[in-house]
């Protein structure tokens, strides 16, 4: 049955509402007269038969406000599936899910407004909140959660697993609100597990002063940065049994100063006093047990070692893991041959012999008791070689009154016989009545003829003939080698390894020279003082930085690398026996000599290009104007001419020095590039011109990318303009064709 047109529609409603006994299995409402779809009880068509598009018809469901919808408390009859459209608040379709007369409304979320189980794309990520914890989301931002003060609950298998409370606290395995993160585990598996692969596994506990929006430095001493508590349930609540507190140990709060300490606390049984400090480790690595430490290990209280006793006998077995062992006296003659069970590397063992017979252990003898005083032997086990070494023996079983000129026999291998002092005095050696060695408890140590002869500086070490021989106040120097740092007087913090290293240095500081003649000639006139003043240099290799005068903060690595230096903050890497690699100004880095044909690396060399370090940024790079002036060429290097211009010399021992002349290179001529840039007024940084009038031009090919990009952009703009012109020409052609067609029609009509 179908009703069409206005009359048909009126007839439909008249039929539906006035003819009660009329029956039909399906109804169609349309303007085309089409029959109803047999699968539908009501078939609406608002397009067919209507004058469109403005005449097309839609289907309007009942509309009401939020207050009106929620005001429906009781329905005349159950109406599951009933649908309405809400016109305010969260506008949209709502449908009734209840099978009773009390409605339960569900929002019909349109596509794109909900989170899909397959994931979402194109969302609007919320911006960083101005004030975390109080700032609300923007109207257009997408997020997951609630808009009212209700918790967000996560579950699996229809069981709650995690709850995010409206207060911002998160509970896993429990619905009780506690700490910011509250985890409850009832099974036997781990509460948490952190695993990394190829990376460090860090847990960071952080604290700053101030607020989250405006944090300030953690500068005070004894500030708790983080604590770990172990608590047990006492039947009514959880009580702390032990804790580890991570704290600042002194005032700090700078980028390089945040001194810390670790404090261990326990609760004593039956006292009711919770968490008393038992041990701490200070920022300096001092460990205190029962006290605040002032030494490496500071113990307030009794200190006990493992103690074991056995009666004197033919054989005595010392148990494993014993550090103090006593042999008690018995009647008769006993061999008292003692052995230790399962010794460990570094194990310390003291044997006290109270028997009338001596005790043997590991080839050593512990004397018998004498005048009521027990014999004592101290030993340490060395895992290297699996051998016990004696530290001391008392009463002394040795003999003799001194060391003989032709050597001594019968010594105890260093257990009690030694060369040295027993008081706080230096041990000195001489040759030809000249100082040739000193071991000073205050720090300086020298060994070699006249090494450190007049030294008054502190913490110096000189090994070798006349090493640091005239050093006076210079401190913290290390010189090893024949006449190493031989004329140094007050230069400090230097390291020279090799014969004649830093040979002429007098005042230079903070230098490192490794190799024969390395940094040999640190000479020159530093202001008004005579002698070397080159500071902060590092030279590794034979004669590297050999003629350095006052250059500072230079690094030379390789055979004769950077021999002729006069500049500062330069680096030369690679052997350079014929003086090719010579920086022409301060702040240069040179790699390899002119025999190098290839420099390789896994990735390209990076250049700092951070926008934050750039000033006066302008878009004034020429593109095609500069590129058109360039002349790409191929060429071969002239090895001899390169040496002539650079001041270097050919290495006759290097058979492959002319290999580079066999390679055809592609590139530009630096002087032509410079001329091209000058021609168009372009201050191009890709040309490295010799700064002292000597040396060679070089090009930074990576910087050609910038004008090339500009040229491509210019070509792109021209291309777009041409496309527009072509499109206009095409339109003009269409109009001309149309005009020609009209003319043809007129001509045909007039025939």
């Amino acid at each position: 049955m179908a009703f069409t047109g206005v009359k048909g529609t009126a007839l439909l409603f008249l039929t539906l509402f006035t003819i009660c006994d009329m029956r039909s299995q399906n109804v169609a409402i349309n303007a085309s007269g089409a029959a109803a779809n047999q699968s539908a009880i009501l078939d609406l068509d608002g397009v067919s038969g209507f004058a469109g598009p403005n005449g097309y018809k839609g289907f309007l469901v009942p509309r009401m406000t939020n207050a009106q919808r929620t005001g429906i408390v009781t329905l005349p009859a159950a109406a599951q599936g009933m649908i309405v459209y809400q016109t305010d608040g969260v506008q949209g379709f709502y449908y009734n899910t209840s099978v009773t007369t009390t409605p339960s409304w569900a929002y019909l979320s349109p596509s794109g407004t909900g989170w899909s189980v397959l994931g979402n794309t194109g969302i609007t990520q919320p911006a960083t909140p101005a004030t975390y914890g109080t700032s609300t989301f923007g109207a257009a931002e997408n997020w997951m959660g609630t808009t009212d003060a209700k918790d967000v609950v996560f579950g699996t298998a229809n069981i709650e697993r995690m709850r995010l409370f409206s207060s911002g606290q998160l509970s896993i395995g429990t619905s009780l609100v506690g700490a910011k993160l509250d985890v409850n585990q009832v099974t036997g598996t781990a509460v948490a597990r952190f695993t990394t692969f190829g990376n460090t596994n860090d847990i960071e506990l952080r604290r700053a002063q101030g607020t989250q929006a405006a944090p300030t430095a953690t500068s005070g001493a004894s500030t708790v940065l983080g604590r770990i508590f172990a608590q047990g349930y006492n039947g009514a609540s959880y009580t702390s049994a032990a804790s580890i507190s991570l704290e600042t140990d002194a005032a700090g709060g700078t980028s390089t100063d945040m001194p810390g300490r670790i404090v261990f606390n326990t609760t004593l049984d039956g006292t009711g006093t919770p968490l008393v400090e038992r041990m701490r480790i200070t920022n300096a690595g001092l460990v205190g047990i029962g006290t605040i430490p002032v030494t490496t290990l500071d113990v307030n209280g009794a200190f006990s070692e493992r103690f074991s006793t056995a009666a004197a006998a033919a054989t005595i077995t010392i148990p494993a893991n014993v550090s103090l062992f006593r042999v008690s006296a018995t009647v008769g003659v006993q061999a008292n041959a003692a052995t230790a069970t399962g010794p460990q590397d570094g194990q310390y063992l003291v044997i006290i012999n109270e028997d009338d017979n001596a005790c043997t252990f590991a080839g050593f003898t512990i004397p018998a008791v004498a005048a009521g005083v027990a014999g004592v032997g101290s030993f340490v086990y060395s895992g290297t070689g699996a051998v016990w070494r004696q530290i001391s023996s008392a009463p002394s079983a040795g003999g003799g009154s001194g060391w003989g000129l032709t050597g001594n026999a019968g010594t105890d291998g260093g257990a009690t016989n030694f060369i040295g002092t027993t008081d706080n005095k230096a041990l000195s050696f001489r040759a030809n009545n000249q100082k040739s060695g000193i071991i000073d408890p205050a720090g300086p140590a020298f060994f070699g003829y006249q090494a450190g002869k007049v030294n008054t500086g502190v913490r110096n070490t000189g090994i070798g003939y006349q090493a640091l021989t005239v050093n006076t106040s210079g401190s913290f120097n290390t010189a090893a080698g024949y006449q190493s740092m031989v004329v140094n007087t007050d230069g400090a913090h230097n390291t020279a390894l090799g014969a004649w290293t830093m040979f002429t240095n007098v005042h230079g500081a903070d230098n490192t020279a490794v190799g024969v003649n390395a940094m040999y000639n640190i000479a020159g006139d530093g202001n008004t003082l005579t002698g070397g003043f080159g500071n902060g240099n590092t030279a590794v290799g034979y004669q590297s930085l050999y003629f350095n005068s006052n250059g500072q903060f230079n690094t030379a690595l390789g055979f004769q690398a950077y021999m002729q230096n006069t500049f500062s903050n330069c680096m030369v890497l690679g052997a350079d026996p014929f003086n090719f690699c010579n920086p022409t100004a301060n702040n240069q880095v040179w790699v390899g000599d002119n025999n190098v044909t290839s420099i390789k690396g896994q990735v390209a060399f990076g250049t700092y290009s951070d926008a934050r370090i750039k000033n006066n940024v302008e878009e004034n790079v020429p593109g095609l104007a500069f590129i058109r002036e360039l002349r790409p060429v191929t060429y071969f290097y002239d090895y001899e001419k390169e040496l002539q211009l650079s001041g270097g010399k050919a290495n006759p021992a290097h058979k492959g020095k002319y290999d580079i002349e066999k390679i055809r290179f592609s590139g530009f001529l630096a002087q032509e590039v410079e001329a091209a840039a000058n021609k168009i007024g372009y201050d191009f940084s890709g040309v490295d011109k010799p700064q002292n009038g000597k040396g060679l031009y070089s090009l930074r090919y990576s910087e050609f990318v910038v004008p090339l990009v500009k040229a491509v952009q210019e070509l792109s703009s021209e291309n777009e303009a041409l496309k527009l012109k072509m499109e206009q020409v095409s339109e003009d052609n269409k109009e001309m064709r149309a005009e020609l067609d009209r003319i043809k029609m007129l001509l045909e009509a007039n025939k």
Side-chain angles (χ1 to χ4, degrees):
M1 178 172 63
F3 299 89
T4 60
V6 177
K7 292 182 179 181
T9 303
L11 181 58
L12 168 64
F13 284 99
L14 180 62
T15 303
L16 290 176
F17 295 107
T18 61
I19 305 177
C20 299
D21 60 352
M22 183 176 180
R23 299 293 186 268
S24 177
Q25 294 180 343
N26 39 43
V27 177
I29 301 177
N30 54 56
S32 64
N37 190 304
Q38 295 303 304
S39 298
I41 193 170
L42 178 62
D43 185 354
L44 304 179
D45 184 356
V47 175
S48 301
F50 292 96
N54 295 329
Y56 294 156
K57 308 300 181 183
F59 174 68
L60 282 176
V61 301
R63 288 145 291 165
M64 58 185 67
T65 65
N66 177 65
Q68 292 169 338
R69 177 180 59 78
T70 57
I72 304 175
V73 179
T74 304
L75 296 169
Q80 185 182 28
M82 183 173 67
I83 188 168
V84 299
Y85 184 87
Q86 183 173 301
T87 59
D88 63 351
V90 181
Q91 300 178 7
F93 292 99
Y94 291 79
Y95 60 92
N96 179 26
T97 62
S98 174
V99 296
T100 69
T101 58
T102 301
S104 177
W105 298 101
Y107 178 60
L108 184 61
S109 175
S111 175
T113 61
W115 294 99
S116 170
V117 295
L118 299 178
N120 291 62
T121 61
I123 66 170
T124 301
Q125 180 173 301
T128 301
T131 304
Y132 201 92
T134 58
S135 298
T136 59
F137 292 107
E141 294 177 339
N142 301 131
W143 51 281
M144 181 180 291
T146 62
T147 57
D148 52 7
K150 297 297 178 66
D151 302 341
V152 177
V153 179
F154 301 85
T156 61
N158 204 31
I159 299 174
E160 178 177 336
R161 305 298 185 186
M162 182 171 69
R163 179 178 293 256
L164 177 61
F165 292 87
S166 59
S167 59
Q169 295 162 289
L170 179 65
S171 291
I172 301 174
T174 178
S175 59
L176 299 177
V177 62
K180 195 68 175 179
L181 173 62
D182 202 334
V183 181
N184 183 29
Q185 175 65 295
V186 296
T187 65
T189 58
V191 175
R193 179 178 293 130
F194 304 91
T195 303
T196 64
F197 299 93
N199 300 298
T200 56
N201 205 337
D202 298 335
I203 298 177
E204 298 182 3
L205 305 178
R206 297 180 174 182
R207 177 177 179 178
Q209 304 302 102
T211 64
Q212 184 175 12
T216 58
T218 307
S219 56
S222 300
T223 301
V224 177
L225 304 178
R227 287 184 289 197
I228 301 174
F229 288 92
Q231 298 180 330
Y233 193 67
N234 61 14
S237 62
Y238 287 94
T239 302
S240 294
S243 71
I244 301 175
S245 183
L246 311 175
E247 309 170 354
T248 57
D249 201 28
T254 68
S255 60
T256 58
D257 188 25
M258 189 60 66
R261 67 172 177 243
I262 306 175
V263 178
F264 300 84
N265 310 280
T266 63
T267 298
L268 183 63
D269 184 24
T271 63
T273 303
L275 298 181
V276 177
E277 179 179 333
R278 306 302 182 188
M279 184 175 73
R280 74 167 54 191
I281 304 174
T282 71
N283 72 91
L286 308 182
V287 178
I289 301 176
T291 184
I292 297 176
V294 295
T295 58
T296 301
L297 177 60
D298 198 342
V299 180
N300 180 19
F303 180 80
S304 299
E305 295 189 65
R306 298 189 181 189
F307 197 99
S308 183
T309 301
T315 59
I316 301 172
T317 301
I318 302 174
N321 299 321
V322 169
S323 57
L324 189 60
F325 186 78
R326 179 171 57 202
V327 179
S328 61
T330 60
V331 179
V333 178
Q334 307 293 342
N336 291 334
T339 58
T341 303
Q344 301 294 318
D345 193 12
Q347 179 180 345
Y348 180 72
L349 175 62
V350 177
I351 299 177
I352 302 173
N353 184 18
E354 298 177 347
D355 192 53
D356 291 333
N357 303 288
C359 176
T360 59
F361 175 76
F364 302 100
T365 300
I366 298 96
V369 64
V373 178
V376 178
S378 300
F379 307 89
V380 65
Y381 185 76
S382 173
T384 303
V387 62
W388 285 97
R389 302 190 183 280
Q390 188 172 28
I391 302 173
S392 66
S393 177
S396 174
S401 59
W403 293 93
L405 295 179
T406 58
N408 289 57
T411 64
D412 57 8
T416 57
N417 305 139
F418 63 93
I419 297 174
T421 63
T422 57
D423 54 4
N424 191 26
K425 301 295 182 180
L427 174 63
S428 179
F429 301 88
R430 290 199 175 206
N432 193 29
N433 202 30
Q434 295 289 317
K435 286 186 177 181
S436 299
I438 186 170
I439 301 174
D440 193 332
F446 297 94
F447 198 83
Y449 185 76
Q450 293 184 337
K453 180 179 178 180
V454 296
N455 176 71
T456 59
V458 299
R459 309 296 190 270
N460 291 301
T461 301
I463 300 175
Y465 177 86
Q466 292 184 342
L468 284 168
T469 188
V470 298
N471 185 75
T472 53
S473 60
S475 300
F476 302 99
N477 295 295
T478 299
Y482 184 89
Q483 291 187 330
S484 177
M485 295 185 67
V486 65
V487 297
N488 187 80
T489 58
D490 56 10
H493 302 96
N494 296 294
T495 300
L497 305 178
W500 301 295
T501 47
M502 296 184 65
F503 184 80
T504 61
N505 184 71
V506 178
H507 311 291
D510 304 302
N511 297 292
T512 300
V514 180
V516 175
N517 284 333
M519 221 178 295
Y520 178 91
N521 191 47
I522 301 186
D525 188 5
N527 297 322
T528 59
L529 299 176
T530 301
F533 260 84
N535 297 329
N537 298 291
T538 300
V540 179
Y542 175 75
Q543 292 186 339
S544 54
L545 281 174
Y546 184 89
F547 291 111
N548 183 64
S549 54
N550 295 320
Q552 302 185 74
F553 312 112
N554 295 292
T555 300
L557 175 60
F559 179 84
Q560 293 183 335
Y562 206 10
M563 290 182 62
Q564 306 289 340
N565 173 56
T566 57
F567 299 105
S568 296
N569 196 36
C570 291
M571 179 186 295
V572 173
L573 304 179
D576 187 31
F578 292 92
N579 198 30
F580 176 81
C581 294
N582 276 318
T584 57
N586 296 331
N587 309 312
Q588 293 187 357
V589 176
W590 288 53
V591 180
D593 63 7
N594 63 328
N595 295 305
V596 174
T597 59
S598 178
I599 298 178
K600 297 179 180 180
Q602 184 67 21
V603 297
F605 190 86
T607 302
Y608 294 127
S609 189
D610 194 315
R612 296 170 296 178
I613 62 174
K614 298 181 179 182
N615 297 323
N616 303 324
V617 177
E618 300 180 38
E619 292 188 35
N620 58 357
V621 177
L624 292 173
F626 179 56
I627 299 303
R628 290 192 186 100
E629 297 293 329
L630 299 180
R631 184 171 70 102
V633 297
T634 61
Y635 56 90
F636 293 90
Y637 275 108
D638 187 328
Y639 179 81
E640 298 290 345
K641 191 63 175 291
E642 186 178 46
L643 291 174
Q644 176 186 344
L645 292 173
S646 65
K649 299 179 181 179
N651 183 357
H654 182 48
K655 297 180 179 180
K657 57 181 175 290
Y658 292 106
D659 288 350
I660 196 169
E661 292 188 343
K662 303 173 185 178
I663 302 173
R664 181 187 294 273
F665 290 89
S666 297
F668 301 104
L669 305 182
Q671 289 85 342
E672 291 185 0
V673 175
E674 181 184 40
N678 292 337
K679 180 178 179 180
I680 65 171
Y682 178 27
D683 187 12
F684 182 45
S685 58
V687 179
D688 192 352
K689 185 178 180 180
Q691 298 185 28
N692 61 355
K694 298 180 181 179
L696 302 171
Y697 275 78
S698 61
L699 292 175
R700 302 185 183 97
Y701 279 95
S702 61
E703 302 199 17
F704 284 79
V705 172
V706 179
L708 282 171
V709 169
K710 186 64 177 180
V712 172
Q713 291 175 341
E714 292 172 352
L715 289 173
S716 178
S717 297
E718 292 177 6
N719 187 46
E720 290 298 324
L722 288 172
K723 287 173 63 178
L724 291 175
K725 288 181 180 180
M726 292 300 296
E727 290 174 359
Q728 184 60 47
V729 169
S730 178
E731 290 296 323
D732 292 342
N733 287 339
K734 289 180 181 179
E735 293 178 3
M736 291 176 64
R737 291 192 193 97
E739 186 64 28
L740 288 173
D741 289 340
R742 285 193 295 271
I743 293 173
K744 288 180 179 180
M745 291 176 63
L746 291 173
L747 292 173
E748 290 293 333
N750 292 329
K751 283 184 180 179

